[in-house]
Amino acid sequence: MPLMGDPSLASVLYGASVTFDIHAATQTVAAVVPVATGKEVNMTEIVEQQKNDQMGMDSTMPRNLYLAFAGLLVLCMIISHPRFLARLFASLPSSSSSSRSKKNASVRIYPYSQQSLESLQPKREVSGGDLSQGWYLRKGRNSRIEISSPSTTPDTCSKKDPFSSASAFDEKSLSPNTLDSSSSFPSPIYYPPPHIIPLLNHLPFSSTFQFLTPLSILPSHLKSFLTLPQLYLVIGYLVLNGFALIWKSDLSPASKDKGYGSDWMRSGLVATAQIPLTVALGVRGNIIGLCVGKGYERLKVYHKIVGRVVFLASTIHGAAYMYKWTVAGKFSAYAAKPFAMWGLLAYFALVLIVVTSLPWVRKAWHGVFEICHFVGIVGLLVGLALHVAVAVPFCVAAMVIYLISIFCSLTKTRLAHAELQALPGAGTTVVTIPALKTGWRAGQHVRIRIPALGLSKAFESHPFTIASAPNGEGLVLMCKRAGDWTNSLYELAQRSSDFEDRAEGGRNQATIILEGPYGGLGNTLAPSFSSVVLIAGGSGITQSLALAQDLVSRASSGVVRARTIDLIWMVRTEDTAKPLTSTLLGLVNEAKQWEIQCLEGRRRGEKRPNPTALRVKIFVTRCPASSPLNLLPDDQIEEWKIEQDTFTLQANGGLKRQPSAADKAKYEYLCRNPSSSSTSSNWSTSTSSLAKKYNLPLSTISINPLRPNFEILLNSFVDETINTYGKMRVDPSGMLVSACGPEDMIANVRSSIRGMQAEKKVGCGGIEFEDEHFGF
């Protein structure tokens, strides 16, 4: 150091032109030394500052995570926003409907005449949104017009079928001397709701990727039927969580010259922040489902995914801290502190929820699953709130969401008197509640509790799809025997003191607790589609039957756009379908009568809307192709033939060539045995074209052996829709395919739609698929 301050040495090293100021150098060295000493002195403050910055980053991460989740929710809302607006538009009452609502629902006309009937018909308006329906079950009343004379009393509706609808007139109450057949139904007063194509359908290759389920090829315990759009949403959620866990998170051990280090608090905060989201996705009063137009049962898969992320992050948090304490030799000291004990309580409560949520545990002991879920969520929230103060707001938010859901469930709960009827051939219990007639939408479900089943099963809540359409003769449920609870319900229905009821399988009465309605199609408006295909497997007929009945009963009001409604029902044996055969025949006959009225009106030159036909096809899967099917009684088949022949003569009136006996035989054969023909790929088109040729209604019912080929059936329905609307020079408004039943059947239907040619999907206006699996 002394040599560096020697001027002579500087001139030798740097030359004579360089001068060296020893005074300035001394000041520089003197200034450097205090700075170096200051760094050593202030290192503790620097480390503390780094620690505060790290903790500040951790504390703001939950807020940023929720902002990202809100962005995902807004994106989902934007996708469903146009369809919700269409539903809202079709639900708003106009001035004319508001004035009609102030009038009495039952109007008497003295004397009745065709002019009086026409004077009652207001100007047509758009309807069918049903946004005010589907929230609460109500008693309701039959809103219908009674047409009678001052000197006579109108006949009351004598319908005893719980599946029947009160929207159509009872023809026995109309006088044949003053009203012709065209007055059996009121003139249409509504237009169908607008059909909005989903935004996802405008993306390239949307007709394929919306029906693709990549995870369905995994083993059964890992299998999932998430479509690609749903998978994209899940992947985005997982990416956000991964980013929140690792962004600027220092996991290396702390040291003297480095900040906080070992940042295992971040994983705990990420898990804690998502507990309100997990609760919000799992409760029945689902605010997220309300925003996106989906029921809680449609969001259960996201509830499972978020719950597993919370469990994974909590496991990382707890295991890392235990390892950290063990390495430092302070595990006993930290474990004895209150915050650690409350944290362990919260984690064990979470483990209880996860273990009892395993599929085989939930299926074998459903009651234990529900009790452990409730105990676990209470223990989790209490333990977390006492574990760290930063978790208190999230625990309070989760508790508030849970309490609001309980309040909403209580407001939807009804105590009602039910009639139980056991169907021995089908192994099903029919639960009828005559007092509840309205308040739900077709396709929704309720959860029921029956105290008469005993203390152990009295408070078990089980979901069942409503099998009857609203505004009919009552709410009907069909509970198939599939476990201990449904077996007990079936045995309860068999306990009848009436000998005749016991001979039919059993009939009893009980007080039940209903909660609902829930679920349904959401913002998807079935009346807005040009064609509707309902596919059911076994007891899945409940959803399809309710949708078919609702569309058929409302077709005469003009709110239904669909020209054809095809109901495909797969059953194992004929005994399964026998209890509902008469109901299906009556429903087909109601649709046929509406078709007859429209066709006769068009023949006379009147402006009539397109009729809505119902075609029911029952497939008995365990019946050989050569075995005879006796599901339809012979007398009903003969009556059907007579009605068809009578209408043919009335419609043609001698102006068109009458169908020959061979034509009639071919038509009847195609109606009864569409799948046995070698040209089954176009049987639907052949039947409909032959019916149109002779002005026959398209509504039919057929019984077929073996399993249906969904690819052939769906292609034929699409071709028929394209041809029908092509002749009318009108663009079709899409096809709705709804499937309810086993997972394999739903997967088969989905793959059939995915394999269809893209040109056909575009030509029919797009195909939308709604599925509902067995179980919850």
Side-chain angles (χ1 to χ4, degrees), residues 335-347:
K337 293 184 178 181
F339 83 92
M341 298 178 64
W342 287 116
L344 288 175
L345 172 64
Y347 183 74

Side-chain angles (χ1 to χ4, degrees), residues 711-732:
E711 183 177 355
I712 293 176
L713 286 176
L714 293 175
N715 274 279
S716 65
F717 296 151
V718 170
D719 293 338
E720 181 184 7
T721 302
I722 295 175
N723 294 333
T724 300
Y725 283 84
K727 295 178 180 179
M728 298 167 50
R729 297 183 179 179
V730 177
D731 293 333

Side-chain angles (χ1 to χ4, degrees), residues 57-94:
M57 178 75 67
D58 293 344
S59 61
T60 57
M61 189 56 66
R63 181 194 64 187
N64 299 333
L65 196 60
Y66 265 94
L67 289 176
F69 292 162
L72 286 179
L73 179 60
V74 170
L75 177 62
C76 296
M77 293 176 63
I78 291 174
I79 294 175
S80 62
H81 185 65
R83 181 152 288 181
F84 170 76
L85 290 181
R87 183 182 175 192
L88 178 64
F89 170 73
S91 302
L92 294 176
S94 63

Side-chain angles (χ1 to χ4, degrees), residues 269-340:
L269 288 173
V270 169
T272 303
Q274 297 186 78
I275 290 178
L277 178 62
T278 310
V279 175
L281 289 170
V283 295
R284 291 192 283 273
N286 203 301
I287 185 65
I288 299 178
L290 187 64
C291 293
V292 299
K294 299 291 184 181
Y296 75 94
E297 76 283 358
R298 307 273 179 172
L299 302 178
K300 65 176 182 178
V301 62
Y302 304 109
H303 168 72
K304 295 178 181 179
I305 293 173
V306 176
R308 290 167 183 171
V309 170
V310 170
F311 176 71
L312 178 61
S314 301
T315 302
I316 295 174
H317 175 74
Y321 269 101
M322 289 182 182
Y323 174 77
K324 179 180 178 180
W325 295 340
T326 303
V327 171
K330 301 179 180 180
F331 179 81
S332 300
Y334 278 105
K337 293 184 178 181
F339 83 92

Side-chain angles (χ1 to χ4, degrees), residues 640-716:
W640 188 278
K641 294 178 182 178
I642 293 173
E643 291 178 357
Q644 293 280 16
D645 295 343
T646 303
F647 169 68
T648 303
L649 295 175
Q650 291 176 351
N652 292 327
L655 299 179
K656 296 182 180 179
R657 182 182 69 84
Q658 298 295 328
S660 62
D663 293 331
K664 294 180 181 180
K666 180 180 179 181
Y667 173 74
E668 294 166 1
Y669 177 78
L670 289 173
C671 290
R672 293 194 305 270
N673 303 284
S675 63
S676 62
S677 174
S678 59
T679 59
S680 58
S681 61
N682 60 353
W683 69 266
S684 179
T685 306
S686 302
T687 305
S688 60
S689 61
L690 187 61
K692 292 176 183 178
K693 182 177 180 180
Y694 300 114
N695 289 331
L696 292 174
L698 301 180
S699 298
T700 57
I701 183 170
S702 60
I703 315 298
N704 313 276
L706 303 179
R707 294 181 179 272
N709 189 321
F710 292 118
E711 183 177 355
I712 293 176
L713 286 176
L714 293 175
N715 274 279
S716 65

Side-chain angles (χ1 to χ4, degrees), residues 478-504:
M478 299 181 65
C479 311
K480 186 176 179 60
R481 301 178 64 178
D484 294 338
W485 193 90
T486 50
N487 288 334
S488 301
L489 177 61
Y490 186 84
E491 294 173 0
L492 177 63
Q494 288 181 318
R495 302 172 194 168
S496 176
S497 59
D498 194 320
F499 179 79
E500 294 183 358
D501 290 341
R502 289 200 303 270
E504 295 178 358

Side-chain angles (χ1 to χ4, degrees), residues 132-141 412 414 433-440 470-472 474-475 516-517:
S132 61
Q133 300 295 323
W135 305 102
Y136 302 99
L137 299 174
R138 302 187 300 274
K139 294 183 177 180
R141 58 181 179 178
K412 287 175 172 281
R414 298 287 183 271
I433 303 95
L436 299 177
K437 299 183 178 182
T438 186
W440 70 91
N471 304 316
L475 187 147

Side-chain angles (χ1 to χ4, degrees), residues 192-433:
H195 179 74
I196 303 298
I197 300 176
L199 293 180
L200 292 178
N201 288 11
H202 297 284
L203 298 177
F205 308 104
S206 62
S207 60
T208 300
F209 82 86
Q210 290 192 72
F211 303 102
L212 188 61
T213 55
L215 302 183
S216 60
I217 61 176
L218 298 177
S220 58
H221 58 284
L222 298 175
K223 182 184 295 186
S224 176
F225 291 94
L226 287 173
T227 60
L228 274 183
Q230 294 173 323
L231 279 178
Y232 292 154
L233 181 62
V234 172
I235 292 174
Y237 164 78
L238 296 178
V239 168
L240 289 176
N241 279 277
F243 179 82
L245 286 172
I246 66 176
W247 174 252
K248 293 185 178 181
S249 179
D250 188 4
L251 301 181
S252 61
S255 60
K256 295 181 179 180
D257 57 348
K258 189 170 62 68
Y260 180 50
S262 299
D263 187 18
W264 302 113
M265 184 181 293
R266 176 80 64 86
S267 56
L269 288 173
V270 169
T272 303
Q274 297 186 78
I275 290 178
L277 178 62
T278 310
V279 175
L281 289 170
V283 295
R284 291 192 283 273
N286 203 301
I287 185 65
I288 299 178
L290 187 64
C291 293
V292 299
K294 299 291 184 181
Y296 75 94
E297 76 283 358
R298 307 273 179 172
L299 302 178
K300 65 176 182 178
V301 62
Y302 304 109
H303 168 72
K304 295 178 181 179
I305 293 173
V306 176
R308 290 167 183 171
V309 170
V310 170
F311 176 71
L312 178 61
S314 301
T315 302
I316 295 174
H317 175 74
Y321 269 101
M322 289 182 182
Y323 174 77
K324 179 180 178 180
W325 295 340
T326 303
V327 171
K330 301 179 180 180
F331 179 81
S332 300
Y334 278 105
K337 293 184 178 181
F339 83 92
M341 298 178 64
W342 287 116
L344 288 175
L345 172 64
Y347 183 74
F348 287 145
L350 184 59
V351 171
L352 177 65
I353 295 175
V354 173
V355 171
T356 55
S357 299
L358 296 175
W360 62 273
V361 177
R362 186 174 65 248
K363 184 177 181 180
W365 300 288
H366 188 80
V368 175
F369 156 74
E370 290 187 342
I371 295 175
C372 292
H373 231 65
F374 176 78
V375 174
I377 191 64
V378 173
L380 175 63
L381 297 181
V382 172
L384 272 180
L386 298 176
H387 175 55
V388 288
V390 71
V392 173
F394 300 103
C395 295
V396 172
M399 184 61 70
V400 169
I401 294 173
Y402 192 69
L403 293 177
I404 291 176
S405 173
I406 293 178
F407 175 77
C408 294
S409 298
L410 291 176
T411 58
K412 287 175 172 281
T413 302
R414 298 287 183 271
L415 191 68
H417 177 77
E419 300 174 0
L420 311 179
Q421 181 181 0
L423 304 178
T428 303
T429 305
V430 178
V431 181
T432 306
I433 303 95

